[in-house]
Amino acid sequence: MIGKHEWSVTNRQPSLKGRVALVTGGNSGLGFEVACGLATRGARLLLPVRSAARGEAALAALQARCPGAEAELLTLNLASLDSIAACAAEVATHTRSLDFLVNNAGVMALARRQETADGFEMQFGTNHLGHFALTTRLRPLLEAASGGGTVVTVASLAACKGAIHFDDLQSRRRYSPFGAYQQSKLSNLLFARELARRAGENGWNIHSRAAHPGWSSTSIIANGPASSLPGAVGKAEQVIGTAILRVMGQTAARGAEPLLYAALSPAARDGDYYGPQGTAERRGPPGPAKVPPAAQKISTAARLWDVSERLTGVAW
């Protein structure tokens, strides 16, 4: 019997031979580890990336870690609705069905407010609206999967402190780096749960779960809070933040385990939330996570869904 590390990246069970998975942000950090975990189990990977050079480097690293891994690079910028539409169309030329979609890519706590190509606040636009639009456009391929495609949307412990500011979703009146991040991650959790609810009520052949990695040591600090600060200051913040995550958190590989658990465990249920089981859900083996009260309100989730359809111009 497989022990507590059943959902480790290096485990080869269950076999995913013949299954197709798409992981956003698969070129680094959590996404790369999730991609490795799926490839090790035999899944064929579609890896959408913004940078061709980084994508090629990630593909080489993936194949070095998982010899024989079958993976293809696609182009995707989640901060552009046109890019999302083009990527979804390209996915349809690579496969007739999609077994797994891991909505993982994201940006964190940008020091200064920025906007996507479509005028959305960058964190809300990329982390939530980008994945909402991508999932919607990939719906036919997900529903074509045997048994239904599984969507895992990556939230964060930050969702616990988040609120949806419907009167200022784009943070135009007031921008807080971490406030905008918390809103975007709460939106991820609300979306995952609302997708599961609507799929169940309408008979959509789709499974939807949410997961968070606890405190995992990845490049998200360097790409977020430290990215917009002056050289020496940004470097110092990056070093300090990364050190805290390493001491109090866990590796990216361990952080990927709740995501793999949500996607693959027979115990995982649609609409539920998974994360590390240690103190304050910062680290430890995967299992059920606490759903914050703000993510339990169906009225909020339904309103966010309707607003997201209007903003992105895509509908279910």
Side-chain angles (χ1 to χ4, degrees):
M1 181 176 178
I2 298 174
K4 64 179 181 179
H5 297 302
E6 181 175 2
W7 305 108
S8 72
V9 170
T10 56
N11 199 299
R12 295 185 175 275
Q13 296 299 322
S15 173
L16 300 179
K17 194 69 175 177
R19 312 287 287 280
V20 181
L22 187 150
V23 182
T24 67
N27 62 298
S28 65
L30 287 172
F32 179 78
E33 296 297 339
V34 170
C36 285
L38 296 170
T40 298
R41 292 166 169 85
R44 174 187 166 211
L45 296 177
L46 300 177
L47 300 178
V49 296
R50 281 189 304 169
S51 165
R54 290 183 181 180
E56 292 293 346
L59 188 58
L62 175 69
Q63 291 171 337
R65 281 264 301 266
C66 312
E70 187 179 359
E72 300 157 81
L73 295 177
L74 307 175
T75 300
L76 172 64
N77 179 4
L78 282 165
S80 165
L81 292 176
D82 285 345
S83 177
I84 291 167
C87 180
E90 187 179 3
V91 172
T93 69
H94 286 262
T95 182
R96 294 181 179 178
S97 61
L98 187 61
D99 298 280
F100 302 99
L101 169 61
V102 182
N103 289 325
N104 161 77
V107 292
M108 173 184 172
L110 300 176
R112 291 188 291 272
R113 183 183 180 278
Q114 300 177 39
E115 291 189 349
T116 69
D118 304 285
F120 307 133
E121 186 278 316
M122 185 64 75
Q123 296 180 79
F124 182 71
T126 300
N127 299 354
H128 168 62
L129 292 177
H131 282 120
F132 180 92
L134 180 65
T135 306
T136 305
R137 290 191 178 278
L138 292 176
R139 175 186 173 183
L141 298 178
L142 289 163
E143 290 207 85
S146 177
T150 297
V151 180
V152 176
T153 301
V154 181
S156 165
L157 286 170
C160 294
K161 297 182 179 180
I164 308 300
H165 301 287
F166 285 107
D167 61 341
D168 190 25
L169 282 174
Q170 311 307 335
S171 303
R172 292 192 175 96
R173 291 202 294 270
R174 180 179 181 276
Y175 177 73
S176 162
F178 280 98
Y181 180 67
Q182 290 162 355
Q183 174 178 255
S184 74
K185 300 319 285 185
L186 176 58
S187 296
N188 287 148
L189 184 50
L190 285 163
F191 168 56
R193 289 169 58 81
E194 182 67 2
L195 176 55
R197 186 182 73 83
R198 294 192 183 213
E201 288 186 354
N202 296 292
W204 300 341
N205 195 32
I206 288 177
H207 307 282
S208 175
R209 295 105 187 232
H212 77 81
W215 283 14
S216 297
S217 182
T218 70
S219 62
I220 195 165
I221 289 180
N223 295 332
S227 65
S228 301
L229 299 175
V233 177
K235 182 65 175 178
E237 179 147 331
Q238 177 183 346
V239 170
I240 293 170
T242 301
I244 291 173
L245 288 178
R246 285 178 177 170
V247 172
M248 301 185 66
Q250 57 188 0
T251 65
R254 292 304 301 272
E257 291 181 6
L259 283 60
L260 292 168
Y261 182 98
L264 305 176
S265 174
R269 296 289 179 265
D270 293 348
D272 283 354
Y273 190 29
Y274 301 96
Q277 298 300 284
T279 303
E281 298 183 12
R282 289 194 295 262
R283 61 193 298 172
K290 181 180 179 180
V291 179
Q296 298 178 27
K297 298 179 180 178
I298 294 177
S299 59
T300 302
R303 184 179 179 186
L304 178 64
W305 183 287
D306 292 342
V307 169
S308 300
E309 285 192 332
R310 176 173 56 81
L311 290 174
T312 60
V314 294
W316 286 72

